[in-house]
Amino acid sequence: MNSKNVHSPMFLVFPPEVTTQEYQTTELTATAYNSQNRVQKIIIRKLKILGTTQILFGIMNFSFGVIFLFTLVNPYPRFPFIFISGYPFWGSALFINSGAFLIALKRKTTDTLIKMSQAMNLLSALGAAAGIILLIFGFLLDGEFICGYSPDGMQCGAITILFVGILAMLMIFSIAELFISLFSSVLGCHSEGYGGCC
């Protein structure tokens, strides 16, 4: 190689279509589109929303359980049935755990985490079904819980409405949790994005 050729400038001539922006954008948009990744992202986003809802329901159940803690005052000699069953506490633990597993699926999707999330959601669904049964017994046994011991009839009516309202809210949360848990476990099980784990 000659020393004159080493330092001599070289010009490259490109055809006009290579240097224009149209060719470059056409090249970028010509990539293959994978619809399965989009479906998987939508499913994971929905599972995250459902998991957040489960955690909120668990916190609300726990809060109502704490409210029932203050019902053991004179003249009431016992706690309400739903508090004795412990449902506001163990139910909220199940709801919060199953919601946390659904949120964890957004960060890392592994077969073990999917199976654990499904198992937790099935346990949460069973807990919600048991809670619905316990709440029905609570309505039947404690419908007159406040008025049965209270000497003052005026306060009895207002407090009974509050008490029955709390039981009704617990029932609504339990029914919603039952449907969310069943939907989450079925959706996670039958989605192709998770590899068809069922």
Side-chain angles (χ1 to χ4, degrees):
M1 196 152 103
N2 207 345
S3 65
K4 291 181 182 179
N5 291 338
V6 172
H7 296 294
S8 66
M10 181 184 287
F11 294 103
L12 297 174
V13 178
F14 293 108
E17 59 268 359
V18 173
T19 58
T20 62
Q21 292 291 338
E22 293 176 20
Y23 181 76
Q24 292 175 353
T25 57
T26 307
E27 184 179 318
L28 292 176
T29 57
T31 58
Y33 178 72
N34 190 356
S35 64
Q36 187 174 5
N37 285 339
R38 185 171 183 210
V39 171
Q40 184 178 7
K41 287 179 183 178
I42 291 171
I43 289 172
I44 289 173
R45 189 179 310 136
K46 287 185 180 184
L47 289 179
K48 183 181 178 187
I49 292 169
L50 293 175
T52 306
T53 306
Q54 284 180 318
I55 290 173
L56 290 175
F57 284 164
I59 291 170
M60 293 298 292
N61 273 2
F62 184 80
S63 300
F64 286 136
V66 171
I67 290 172
F68 284 139
L69 185 64
F70 297 106
T71 58
L72 190 62
V73 293
N74 287 330
Y76 314 113
R78 68 173 180 89
F79 286 112
F81 172 75
I82 197 64
F83 182 83
I84 295 170
S85 70
Y87 172 68
F89 303 109
W90 57 262
S92 65
L94 286 174
F95 299 166
I96 290 170
N97 282 331
S98 60
F101 274 110
L102 285 179
I103 290 174
L105 279 177
K106 178 165 174 59
R107 293 189 179 158
K108 188 174 184 181
T109 307
T110 62
D111 289 336
T112 305
L113 192 59
I114 292 169
K115 290 177 183 177
M116 288 175 64
S117 175
Q118 288 175 348
M120 210 52 225
N121 274 304
L122 288 176
L123 279 175
S124 182
L126 290 174
I132 292 169
I133 294 169
L134 290 172
L135 284 164
I136 290 171
F137 280 123
F139 277 118
L140 296 175
L141 296 175
D142 292 331
E144 297 296 319
F145 175 72
I146 304 293
C147 294
Y149 302 109
S150 177
D152 187 9
M154 282 194 136
Q155 284 186 335
C156 170
I159 296 175
T160 301
I161 290 173
L162 180 65
F163 179 72
V164 171
I166 290 174
L167 289 178
M169 288 302 295
L170 284 172
M171 180 68 81
I172 290 169
F173 291 155
S174 298
I175 292 171
E177 178 63 31
L178 176 67
F179 286 124
I180 288 173
S181 297
L182 289 176
F183 179 74
S184 298
S185 60
V186 168
L187 184 68
C189 184
H190 291 295
S191 67
E192 292 179 8
Y194 293 132
C197 55
C198 280

